[in-house]
Amino acid sequence: MNMSETAATPDASTPAGMLEVDLVRQARHGDLAAYDELVKRYQERIYATIYHMTANHEDANDLAQDSFIKAFQALKSFRGGSSFYTWLYRIAVNKTINFLKQRRNKHHFSLNDLDYNTEHNPDLVALISHKTPLREAGLTELQKKLNEALMKLSEPHRMVVVLHDVQGQSHEDIAEIMDCNIGTVRSRLFYARQQLQGYLSEYAKST
Amino acid sequence: MNQTEQSFDELKRLLKLKQHEVPPPGYFNNFSDQVVSRIRAGEAGGKQTYVERLEVEAPWLVGFLRIFEARPGLIGGLATGLCLLLVVAVVLDERSEVASKSLLTVSQPVVAAPDNSVAALTQSTLVAAADPGSGIVAATNPVTSLQPVATLRPARCFSRSASRRSVINSINFRFCAVCA
């Protein structure tokens, strides 16, 4: 077996090539290599969700790490009724909401630069050059407005918007993650969008 | 529904831009290592704190307690409520005691003997005690009028227990053989 073959088909005996179910089973028995692989698979999505909720990279980093550690400690109580991914999300969401409740009155942003691709995103270019009266508004300004508008929403409403409109999760998954029914998810999403539409009326005009 | 979805199209496109807010390249290279190191450090350190264990074992309880942490006014209100409840309970208890004592005063023609044993108690003394002209002032004696009879008589005198209620009902009790 040469190196290229190894790279093309991951070995099922290594954590990288294992199914999630097997990784979870091994991690439950204390296998940290298996858990390391689980962290790698979900770190970006968990981090992004927390970041969009907190608008702060340091907080997002701490909370994401705490969520993974807590999930490892609680793995024995994971019954497998839902997917590991949903279960992990639920831990992260609860941790984030608790954190936000504690620092409710301390709104502070750490606005990081947008990545290079953003400047060439066709949606954004169209938005700034044609749709808005503030053509000269920069990306940073837009990002700031967007974050400020999101921060005005309550935590459950913000979470639904982040999970659905930013991360593209389904209503069913969100209901499971947030431990509520789909009707609640839909109504929260509708209300949150209405609110955002009002806050971002200069940028997001309804058709 | 489609109309409402369409009305949010522009907003959804705007929100999609949030996907580009990512940490710098290489940020996640060591992320999982840090997590695993912290787990190892926690295991090496041995014990979790009580709160950490509680977070894992009873997250609902921690969530409940955090409600109070986030809203200090709520815990104040709860504490005030509990105090009020305690005061009401004490007042009600006092009232019931006063009521039972007044019953005692009316129905207690007991005359205490100097040696603190129970004096003769017959139907005739009861009648005499009720009569102000009889010379027996049972109701004005603080000991006999306010204290339950149970405190004055030896427990062995009566066959029933010496509870207050039993004293009220025991006005027609006969003496036991020892006292007689």
Side-chain angles (χ1 to χ4, degrees), chain A residues 46-122:
Chain A
I46 294 289
Y47 178 92
T49 303
I50 297 173
Y51 168 72
H52 294 312
M53 286 295 291
T54 58
N56 183 291
H57 278 303
E58 287 79 23
D59 290 342
N61 185 50
D62 290 346
L63 284 168
Q65 284 196 18
D66 289 349
S67 301
F68 279 113
I69 291 167
K70 186 178 175 183
F72 182 78
Q73 290 165 345
L75 258 181
K76 282 178 185 163
S77 69
F78 175 58
R79 307 266 176 249
S82 59
S83 70
F84 173 74
Y85 161 72
T86 310
W87 180 77
L88 178 63
Y89 247 94
R90 198 181 298 161
I91 290 175
V93 163
N94 287 336
K95 216 163 184 50
T96 307
I97 288 179
N98 284 336
F99 169 81
L100 289 170
K101 277 179 185 167
Q102 285 174 350
R103 65 140 225 206
R104 182 166 286 167
N105 296 324
K106 290 188 258 173
H107 283 197
H108 57 280
F109 300 120
S110 167
L111 295 172
N112 300 74
D113 292 333
L114 293 168
D115 68 341
Y116 173 80
N117 294 330
T118 312
E119 293 172 27
H120 302 279
N121 182 295

Side-chain angles (χ1 to χ4, degrees), chain B residues 19-35:
Chain B
Q19 291 174 348
H20 296 288
E21 288 180 39
V22 292
Y27 184 84
F28 290 110
N29 289 352
N30 297 320
F31 185 87
S32 66
D33 293 337
Q34 287 171 3
V35 171

Side-chain angles (χ1 to χ4, degrees), chain A:
Chain A
M1 185 182 289
N2 59 36
M3 289 300 286
S4 62
E5 280 175 354
T6 308
T9 54
D11 187 357
S13 63
T14 62
M18 287 169 68
L19 293 172
E20 182 185 284
V21 186
D22 298 325
L23 287 171
V24 171
R25 195 185 313 120
Q26 291 201 7
R28 284 182 75 168
H29 290 103
D31 185 346
L32 282 174
Y35 194 66
D36 182 69
E37 177 59 26
L38 284 170
V39 174
K40 280 179 183 154
R41 288 189 188 183
Y42 297 117
Q43 59 190 9
E44 290 180 36
R45 274 182 277 180
I46 294 289
Y47 178 92
T49 303
I50 297 173
Y51 168 72
H52 294 312
M53 286 295 291
T54 58
N56 183 291
H57 278 303
E58 287 79 23
D59 290 342
N61 185 50
D62 290 346
L63 284 168
Q65 284 196 18
D66 289 349
S67 301
F68 279 113
I69 291 167
K70 186 178 175 183
F72 182 78
Q73 290 165 345
L75 258 181
K76 282 178 185 163
S77 69
F78 175 58
R79 307 266 176 249
S82 59
S83 70
F84 173 74
Y85 161 72
T86 310
W87 180 77
L88 178 63
Y89 247 94
R90 198 181 298 161
I91 290 175
V93 163
N94 287 336
K95 216 163 184 50
T96 307
I97 288 179
N98 284 336
F99 169 81
L100 289 170
K101 277 179 185 167
Q102 285 174 350
R103 65 140 225 206
R104 182 166 286 167
N105 296 324
K106 290 188 258 173
H107 283 197
H108 57 280
F109 300 120
S110 167
L111 295 172
N112 300 74
D113 292 333
L114 293 168
D115 68 341
Y116 173 80
N117 294 330
T118 312
E119 293 172 27
H120 302 279
N121 182 295
D123 285 343
L124 185 64
V125 171
L127 196 71
I128 290 180
S129 58
H130 302 297
K131 295 281 183 184
T132 73
L134 302 172
R135 292 182 184 185
E136 69 278 9
L139 294 176
T140 308
E141 177 68 17
L142 178 59
Q143 187 195 21
K144 189 180 169 191
K145 292 275 181 199
L146 206 50
N147 279 333
E148 281 175 352
L150 276 169
M151 282 298 174
K152 285 179 187 169
L153 300 177
S154 71
E155 286 93 10
H157 289 97
R158 197 186 320 153
M159 186 60 82
V160 171
V161 170
V162 166
L163 290 175
H164 189 271
D165 287 345
V166 181
Q167 299 219 293
Q169 304 253 20
S170 67
H171 291 112
E172 290 77 11
D173 282 349
I174 297 170
E176 205 170 335
I177 289 166
M178 297 190 72
D179 200 18
C180 60
N181 59 47
I182 295 176
T184 306
V185 172
R186 286 184 197 277
S187 67
R188 279 180 184 167
L189 189 59
F190 182 77
Y191 178 80
R193 283 171 173 172
Q194 269 192 327
Q195 295 286 106
L196 284 175
Q197 192 109 288
Y199 299 141
L200 298 165
S201 54
E202 289 178 37
Y203 299 94
K205 287 181 178 174
S206 58
T207 51

